[in-house]
Amino acid sequence: MPGFEYAPAPESRDVVDVRGSYGLYVGGEFVDGGAGSLKTVNPATEEVLAEVAVASADDVDRAVRAARKAYEKTWSRLPGAERAKYLFRIARIVQERARELAVLETLDNGKPIKESRDVDVPLVAAHFFYHAGWADKLEWAGLPGRAPGATPRPHGVVGQVIPWNFPLLMLAWKVAPALATGNTVVLKPAETTPLTALLFAEICEQAGLPPGVVNIVTGAGETGAALVRHPGVDKIAFTGSTDVGRQIAKTLAGTRVKATLELGGKAANIVFDDAALDQAVEGIVNGIFFNQGHVCCAGSRLLVQESVAEEVVTRLQRRLTTLRVGDPMDKNTDVGAVNSRAQLERITELADSGDAEGAHRWTAPCELPDQGFWFAPTVFTDVAPAHRIAREEIFGPVLSVMTFRTPDEALTKANTTPYGLSAGIWTEKGSRILWMADRLRAGVVWANTFNRFDPTSPFGGYKESGYGREGGRHGLAAYVKEA
Ligand code: NAD
């Protein structure tokens, strides 16, 4: 019997003015880059959206100098209450321009408009509001290094490098606490998603932020590396892959520069037989198919108790047949485009290794567009812990299902990973939640929910997922001197 079809509900792209080309934002001005330019494309259509300048090492140097000047002349001299005003202003402008930001994010990244509109951009505003609130109360935040009542001291100039999966949100996680604590910033967005960071530069201008307090240098890995090794930077905050995080840690080892590294993950989402199964299925779907699975804390390993495994997989597959995959600008779309051709190739290669190693692949029935980068929601069963799809971060809409019999076995399997960013537990027993949460080596543990983010709550990992926390008072601590 034919089902009801959704009518198309496209968001209009007219709300955003995408310019043909963009420069770097240095010292409060848009300037040319000395290392050519790169093209940023809409991953859903492969249309070139804009040419974006690539910052050379000299450009990075200019940006660091601009940040230093702003730090010394203005920003470090402002009382917290004054800094707070700018952050509140930025937060309010983000809210006012929310639709424009959401559309631009979706065009540049490929994520569904309903996610950029309802998750990314509201959280961006929330991060600025939250940190604005702290700016004049840092004395009482219990931060390291100073006695209560003494003002904590910022590092100075902070270099920040971010990935492409939540471009504007990762910017907010980094810029808001840095400014609240009195640092100035040079930020490098990812090469495939620079546009919302450049729109953010306009928002800084609109908020009247003094020139040089926030500088945006676009480019790829070389630009990031030039920022990391610049001697004028006092602290590095990096979010991205474990491989690059390792290189950064090596570069900074033995220097005075402080670093926080937010890296990859391979989280276990653990479903016990007493869980509310329909609710758990929603959590599994959210855990791995939200943002096309381009989520560092994605619940990419489903551990399900053997007695309910068949039931859970059946319900999950039924639910996945209702997911709408396609045009990210359509308000009914649940799963959008993969961010880049390179990422699509990585996902495809890892999924193929699942077939080759003997796991069983199930793909949600959906029609993928001809143009653009797409990967249908995929579930692997018969997965062994030694399979690559059980060990390596796929960073795409691919779930690996394994089973367990006892809580001990669930725990052992969950912790058998070089990563330790997040985990999920689904059970009706509070005592079991606490027992598991105590023993899971993961920075964030969700119980009967998944992928909940809040600026008040610290986020970060153990082991190869990196070190340092973002969000909450722990996140502020990373931006002040320890002594
Ligand atoms: P990536 O490490 O390739 O790139 C991240 C950023 O680093 C980009 O801006 C890139 O240009 C820059 N970069 C690349 N090489 C560099 C170098 N040598 N020196 C300095 N900068 C360099 O990662 P990606 O593919 O963009 O992002 C995906 C990864 O990010 C995943 O592994 C994911 O788990 C991780 N991630 C982690 C978190 C977290 O909070 N833990 C959040 C989002 C993404």
Side-chain angles (χ1 to χ4, degrees):
M1 201 177 74
F4 287 111
E5 249 317 308
Y6 282 77
E11 173 60 275
S12 163
R13 64 183 280 177
D14 295 347
V15 291
V16 51
D17 176 24
V18 185
R19 284 189 254 139
S21 64
Y22 289 85
L24 317 168
Y25 185 64
V26 175
E29 285 173 11
F30 282 95
V31 298
D32 290 340
S37 64
L38 54 82
K39 291 185 172 63
T40 184
V41 303
N42 177 345
T45 59
E46 299 177 56
E47 166 207 3
V48 174
L49 291 168
E51 293 233 359
V52 177
V54 174
S56 64
D58 284 346
D59 297 324
V60 170
D61 181 54
R62 264 189 287 280
V64 172
R65 282 171 199 278
R68 173 69 55 197
K69 191 169 156 201
Y71 176 73
E72 280 168 5
K73 295 249 155 64
T74 351
W75 202 243
S76 65
R77 296 177 183 211
L78 286 184
E82 290 303 310
R83 292 198 305 273
K85 286 184 195 167
Y86 289 104
L87 290 169
F88 276 123
R89 244 180 252 164
I90 290 172
R92 283 196 296 264
I93 299 171
V94 166
Q95 287 185 321
E96 279 163 22
R97 300 180 69 170
R99 192 154 163 234
E100 189 184 347
L101 287 164
V103 168
L104 189 60
E105 195 74 306
T106 284
L107 288 174
D108 206 17
N109 171 279
K111 64 176 69 201
I113 186 71
K114 77 172 177 195
E115 288 180 6
S116 46
R117 182 195 62 196
D118 298 347
V119 182
D120 295 53
V121 176
L123 276 173
V124 170
H127 271 268
F128 279 99
F129 277 121
Y130 173 74
H131 287 97
W134 269 124
D136 63 347
K137 303 172 195 70
L138 295 171
E139 292 85 335
W140 312 107
L143 300 180
R146 308 305 290 275
T151 310
R153 289 175 304 150
H155 291 291
V157 175
V158 180
Q160 305 181 321
V161 180
I162 56 172
W164 45 262
N165 56 340
F166 293 93
L168 191 63
L169 184 57
M170 290 300 105
L171 174 150
W173 281 27
K174 299 240 170 328
V175 172
L179 298 195
T181 45
N183 300 276
T184 58
V185 164
V186 180
L187 176 127
K188 193 200 85 66
E191 52 272 41
T192 57
T193 53
L195 296 184
T196 45
L198 294 164
L199 184 52
F200 181 79
E202 282 178 30
I203 289 175
C204 291
E205 282 195 342
Q206 198 183 340
L209 195 70
V213 173
V214 168
N215 304 274
I216 312 275
V217 289
T218 42
E222 270 182 40
T223 306
L227 180 57
V228 169
R229 57 170 189 263
H230 194 289
V233 168
D234 302 303
K235 176 197 157 58
I236 289 291
F238 172 76
T239 297
S241 61
T242 295
D243 278 351
V244 174
R246 216 174 264 133
Q247 288 173 37
I248 292 177
K250 275 187 196 154
T251 305
L252 299 180
T255 72
R256 65 182 178 87
V257 179
K258 296 281 169 203
T260 40
L261 303 175
E262 302 282 354
L263 310 176
K266 188 75 186 172
N269 203 0
I270 308 164
V271 179
F272 286 94
D273 59 4
D274 63 343
L277 292 190
D278 282 331
Q279 192 187 331
V281 164
E282 286 308 308
I284 296 164
V285 172
N286 175 280
I288 185 63
F289 300 111
F290 169 64
N291 204 35
Q292 296 71 247
H294 301 329
V295 184
C296 48
C297 53
S300 53
R301 289 184 298 150
L302 174 64
L303 299 181
V304 55
Q305 198 151 16
E306 208 173 82
S307 49
V308 290
E310 233 182 270
E311 177 69 23
V312 168
V313 170
T314 305
R315 291 195 203 192
L316 176 64
Q317 292 176 344
R318 197 185 309 140
R319 175 69 180 88
L320 292 179
T321 59
T322 68
L323 281 191
R324 299 178 56 81
V325 184
D327 181 7
M329 289 287 277
D330 192 309
K331 292 170 204 158
N332 292 319
T333 293
D334 299 306
V335 179
V338 168
N339 178 248
S340 65
R341 187 181 300 282
Q343 186 59 24
L344 179 58
E345 283 166 6
R346 258 196 296 269
I347 297 168
T348 307
E349 193 267 323
L350 266 162
D352 289 349
S353 82
D355 299 329
E357 291 187 321
H360 179 258
R361 184 198 293 235
W362 179 89
T363 305
C366 56
E367 245 176 70
L368 300 179
D370 299 331
Q371 285 287 106
F373 314 129
W374 304 93
F375 200 91
T378 297
V379 176
F380 277 100
T381 48
D382 299 329
V383 178
H387 289 168
R388 283 182 67 202
I389 54 168
R391 294 184 288 116
E392 295 180 31
E393 186 181 44
I394 301 175
F395 222 58
V398 181
L399 178 68
S400 301
V401 184
M402 287 171 279
T403 59
F404 67 88
R405 289 184 181 167
T406 63
D408 273 320
E409 188 187 348
L411 194 63
T412 307
K413 283 188 167 156
N415 283 340
T416 306
T417 167
Y419 296 111
L421 193 54
S422 66
I425 308 167
W426 298 84
T427 171
E428 66 161 22
K429 290 190 186 64
S431 57
R432 181 176 281 164
I433 291 170
L434 296 175
W435 188 88
M436 291 289 293
D438 248 4
R439 292 162 178 79
L440 282 164
R441 295 295 292 161
V444 182
V445 179
W446 286 293
N448 295 324
T449 186
F450 209 91
N451 275 342
R452 286 221 170 237
F453 305 103
D454 190 299
T456 65
S457 178
F459 182 94
Y462 287 104
K463 301 193 282 187
E464 292 187 19
S465 292
Y467 41 77
R469 294 291 178 265
E470 292 190 309
R473 289 189 305 115
H474 298 75
L476 284 171
Y479 284 96
V480 300
K481 287 189 170 148
E482 277 164 23

